[in-house]
Amino acid sequence: MTVILRIVVWRTIAILALVLGVIGLMLPIMPTVPFLLVAAWAGGKGWPALEAKLLSHPKYGPQIIAWRKYGVVKRQPKVIASVMMGGSSIMLAFSPVHLALKLSVIGIMATVAVWLWLRPEQAPKQTNEAATEPTDSPN
């Protein structure tokens, strides 16, 4: 793949994710931050200026950085995602879809929910390692 084609592919992914993220700002049932994470990731591969702009955003930049460094997902998005997946599972359970498909999709959502709740909710506190380490002083 040529360099120009690679850049076009990464920029296309970044733009699509950014558009979906903007739609998520307006629709309460659609997330914003996961799409911005994808946009920043793809931007880093083919559009560094977009990545820098997303990372410097006052509201979403810190969330993207916290995800990249520590895998942090705040509690409110965890609750919203879990409630939405639970509602989707209930609707799916009452739908006329084949049982195997129902169980598969509900199982995937349950797995994602467990994985999501295992993510930390805040970055680890920075400690002064020099103050906590024992010193080797001769007696």
Side-chain angles (χ1 to χ4, degrees), residues 7 16 79 101 126:
I7 289 172
L16 288 173
V79 170
L101 183 59
Q126 298 295 333

Side-chain angles (χ1 to χ4, degrees), residues 36-114:
L36 295 181
L37 291 172
V38 172
W41 169 73
K45 306 263 186 211
W47 202 349
L50 176 65
E51 179 190 31
K53 193 165 215 144
L54 288 171
L55 293 177
S56 65
H57 190 275
K59 181 175 182 180
Y60 297 110
Q63 293 180 54
I64 295 169
I65 293 168
W67 169 258
R68 283 183 170 182
K69 285 186 174 182
Y70 307 107
V72 170
V73 179
K74 294 186 179 204
R75 182 165 298 198
Q76 183 180 5
K78 288 180 182 182
V79 170
I80 291 170
S82 298
V83 167
M84 297 300 283
M85 286 188 286
S88 297
S89 296
I90 291 169
M91 288 189 293
L92 184 60
F94 290 107
S95 73
V97 177
H98 191 273
L99 181 61
L101 183 59
K102 288 181 188 182
L103 294 175
S104 297
V105 172
I106 291 171
I108 290 169
M109 285 192 283
T111 302
V112 169
V114 168

